[in-house]
Structure formats: structure tokens, C-alpha cells
Amino acid sequence: MANFLGMHSVWIAGFPSYYGGADTELDHLIDLFRYYDVQVNLVPMFGADRRMRESVLARGCAIHDYADGIFREKSVISFCNGQFLERLPEIVRSGRPARVIWFNCMTWLFDAEKHAHAEGWIDCFGFQSRYQASCLIPQLELLGPVQRFDYRPFFSIGGIPFDYRPWNGTYRLGRASRDDMAKFSADTWRIFDRVLVPAHLRKKAYILGYGPKAVEKIGRPPSGLDWQTWGAGAIPASRLWRTIDTMVHKTGGSRENYPRVVLEAYAHGVVPIVEDAYGLRELVVNGETGYLTSDSDEMSYYASMLAANPAEHRRLAANGRRHLEERLVDRAASFRAWEQALSGDARALRGEEREPEAYHSQKKSYEKRPQDLVYT
């Protein structure tokens, strides 16, 4: 589909992958750009997975080898790519890009990011959540004016059919993240172990991203718990989402910005039980699309309650998928923001904190017509 404001080409410093929030977000963004017939030029900064190389080439992208002057006079996008930040001084010296749009996918600033902003090398910031913006913008403003645009994360739902799975005798719980101690609550195994299921069901827990750091943080699974773990990237994440019924995800200090595992869960009919904090509050409607609680015992309770009430589990799963399709994903709105940002439209580049219009309309709907969220 041709784009309607004349955006023809973008350059991306970095490369998508099947693992990690920033790299998977980039993968979905490529789908958005290609849908609108935007040429995507990818410059890997530290390697590229063979399967992903084949995928982006099949979608019509171009891959270029990095050189210091490759971004001269080009609009460049980078998602939390540390190598890009480290090389940005030389990139600027070799030929300044026309525009640099930077995404920090965390809720704290990198030293190289602070330096780049202070030097004026970042023209525009993108923030995935209001929570993240509230954390980062005040820090950035101490270093210089902050231009931002009304970025709306995109999730490519196409190819993921909503196919609610019967439990067939086993209730499956799980979670996915990178192998990082901050991603895991120390009592992760206890949360899974305390989930109760009716006598006719078995229970099994799954963790994708269980490596040496996770072992150090949460230890080994308790005896008596049926479990399965994989290291980060050991299997496609879609395999996990097609396996589990309920995601129980409590972190240990990572202060989640816009955890895409919630979107993946919604897409695959998995009910999320997550912390009542951080950017998670912007994704989950408590009691309608999943549950929000920061109490470990309550997480176990909600997971147990759903095991005993399959009809309620199915209702929340269906709500979650519709919430993803109707509230969280808006292809046209996502692309309009990109067109404005990449064209330098002053209406889209703002120096102040501002909640996007889409959020106001969504919040108003939740407050005045909560029955709309009961998709029965």
C-alpha cells in the first residue's frame, strides 16, 4: 500500500531478531513500513541472525554493511542499540545524518545516550509508554531540550490466528524474558508452586530465558513441580505462547517499560497475570484482559482461580485478543506518527510531555463505558 505523505525510505541502525523486546519491536515495525511500501535499509551493528536475514530480504528490505559515513544525510532510526550510540561520534564526524530518531527501551539512561543528547546528536526521541516517558524526559531535560513524537508501538497480528486451546488435562503456566536477574522475582518458583489446580488437572510450569543469571536469582525448581525450561532464544517464542495457558510474570527490578510479552500473550490467547506497576498498567485492564497485582500470593491465587474456572479464563483470553486488536494496535495511527516524525513535521515533534489523543479516547471509554470491555 502506498503511503500517503510521501515517505519513501528509512535507514535503521541495528537489526531485528526473534529475541528481546527492542529487536522484536523493530521486526514488527518493519512489517508496518513495508505495508505502506516504505523501503527499509538495515545496517547491522553487531551481527544478524541468518533466519532473520532471510526474513527481511523476503519482505523486500535491503541490508548494508556498516561504515562510518553510511548514514550521511539520511533519516536514521535506532532501537536501544548500544553499538550505534558508541559509534555516533564518528558517524557525526563522517557525515551527519539528516535526522536521528532514538529509542531507549529501558527506564534509565545510558551514559552514551546522555552524551549524545547533550551534544545535540539525537533529533527526536521515541517513548513506548507514558511510564517510560515520565522516567526519562525529566533526566533528558537536564541535558537539553527534548523533542519527541507521539509514537505508538505496532504489533503485527497477521499470521497469528486466535485459536483457544483446550487444557486436555494439564494447566500450563509460564513466562518469557531474557536471562537477566532484574527480569526475575526471587520467588518465581514459589509463585508457580503455590498455584492450585482441580483434582482432574495436572499443572506444569514453563520458563523461556532460564539461564545462569536466572538460576543465580531464583534457584532451581522445587521438587514435586513439573517444569520445563529453555535458555534465551533456544526455541521460538511462539512455541511457548502456543503451549501455555496463563502467563505469570513478576520481575525483580527491571521496571518494565512496554513489555511486549503481554502483547504476545494476548495474541495467542494466553491470560497475563503481571505486576500492578510500571508500563504494565497501560497494557492490562484488571479483571477484564488479565490481572494486575504485585503480591506474589495473589498471583498464585489468580492463576489458581482461573484453573478452577475455565469459562472465566476463556473470557479473559478472548478479551485480551480483542483489546490487542481494537485498543493497542492501530496501524494507520502508528504510521501517521512516523510520517510526521520523519518529515520533521513540527506538529509531531514536541518538547513537552503530552499524552497521545488515542490514550485520552481510550481512557474516556474505560471510565464511562466499562461494559464495552466485557467481550462475551
Side-chain angles (χ1 to χ4, degrees):
M1 176 179 293
N3 60 78
F4 48 85
L5 289 180
M7 187 170 71
H8 301 297
S9 178
V10 296
W11 287 73
I12 294 173
F15 207 78
S17 77
Y18 298 105
Y19 167 66
D23 289 349
T24 56
E25 183 162 1
L26 176 54
D27 187 31
H28 288 253
L29 178 62
I30 288 170
D31 282 348
L32 175 70
F33 283 153
R34 294 304 298 138
Y35 179 85
Y36 286 101
D37 206 26
V38 175
Q39 176 60 42
V40 177
N41 299 278
L42 295 160
V43 182
M45 304 298 290
F46 55 88
D49 176 78
R50 177 187 57 81
R51 289 188 304 128
M52 184 56 78
R53 290 181 72 96
E54 294 172 354
S55 172
V56 298
L57 290 172
R59 284 180 273 175
C61 302
I63 302 174
H64 307 267
D65 292 332
Y66 173 79
D68 290 335
I70 194 168
F71 299 122
R72 182 195 301 266
E73 298 182 358
K74 297 186 173 66
S75 293
V76 183
I77 301 164
S78 190
F79 277 82
C80 212
N81 191 295
Q83 291 292 323
F84 174 70
L85 283 180
E86 294 297 331
R87 293 176 174 177
L88 192 51
E90 185 57 37
I91 289 170
V92 172
R93 283 193 293 270
S94 299
R96 185 163 184 149
R99 183 173 292 108
V100 172
I101 299 178
W102 166 256
F103 289 82
N104 175 338
C105 299
M106 308 300 182
T107 51
W108 58 88
L109 297 177
F110 303 105
D111 288 342
E113 178 183 13
K114 295 176 185 178
H115 178 66
H117 179 48
E119 293 292 335
W121 297 335
I122 297 175
D123 300 287
C124 184
F125 288 84
F127 302 101
Q128 287 100 340
S129 66
R130 299 183 303 281
Y131 171 71
Q132 185 198 36
S134 72
C135 292
L136 299 187
I137 289 177
Q139 299 178 61
L140 289 167
E141 287 178 334
L142 296 175
L143 303 169
V146 178
Q147 286 196 321
R148 57 173 295 191
F149 72 112
D150 289 337
Y151 175 67
R152 182 164 184 161
F154 180 70
F155 186 90
S156 184
I157 305 173
I160 307 177
F162 181 73
D163 184 16
Y164 188 82
R165 301 171 300 283
W167 294 348
N168 293 329
T170 301
Y171 181 56
R172 297 173 173 88
L173 308 151
R175 53 160 290 150
S177 71
R178 65 178 182 270
D179 180 26
D180 183 330
M181 286 193 285
K183 289 289 188 178
F184 289 85
S185 173
D187 62 353
T188 295
W189 286 122
R190 180 180 179 273
I191 294 171
F192 287 135
D193 197 38
R194 288 176 62 84
V195 174
L196 303 177
V197 299
H200 67 280
L201 285 178
R202 298 184 301 275
K203 176 184 72 176
K204 188 168 183 176
Y206 299 80
I207 297 180
L208 176 58
Y210 184 72
K213 294 179 181 177
V215 173
E216 183 178 349
K217 180 68 176 285
I218 71 175
R220 300 290 180 179
S223 61
L225 177 66
D226 191 8
W227 56 272
Q228 171 76 59
T229 64
W230 301 272
I235 62 168
S238 58
R239 177 177 164 185
L240 175 77
W241 303 122
R242 290 195 299 264
T243 298
I244 66 174
D245 308 300
T246 301
M247 179 182 78
V248 184
H249 191 90
K250 186 175 184 181
T251 61
S254 57
R255 297 187 304 171
E256 299 293 277
N257 159 28
Y258 191 86
R260 294 179 70 85
V261 290
V262 175
L263 309 187
E264 294 282 1
Y266 284 155
H268 290 85
V270 175
V271 177
I273 300 174
V274 298
E275 292 161 285
D276 186 11
Y278 319 123
L280 290 155
R281 291 172 173 164
E282 300 172 38
L283 297 176
V284 176
V285 183
N286 192 37
E288 293 297 338
T289 68
Y291 289 103
L292 290 165
T293 177
S294 296
D295 183 271
S296 297
D297 287 340
E298 284 191 359
M299 287 186 166
S300 299
Y301 165 77
Y302 284 129
S304 302
M305 183 271 291
L306 291 174
N309 294 275
E312 178 67 359
H313 187 280
R314 183 163 191 154
R315 183 183 76 87
L316 265 63
N319 284 1
R321 174 69 182 227
R322 290 188 62 182
H323 185 55
L324 176 66
E325 294 177 345
E326 299 177 6
R327 304 281 185 170
L328 298 179
V329 176
D330 186 331
R331 178 190 284 125
S334 293
F335 190 68
R336 280 196 300 271
W338 274 110
E339 289 198 300
Q340 292 169 342
L342 287 163
S343 68
D345 188 336
R347 292 170 301 173
L349 300 178
R350 309 181 188 279
E352 71 276 0
E353 172 73 21
R354 191 178 74 89
E355 293 177 340
E357 180 181 350
Y359 168 65
H360 284 297
S361 63
Q362 175 176 307
K363 183 168 63 174
K364 180 179 179 181
S365 175
Y366 287 177
E367 292 173 347
K368 293 192 174 182
R369 297 189 294 117
Q371 67 272 17
D372 288 352
L373 295 177
V374 185
Y375 303 116
T376 56

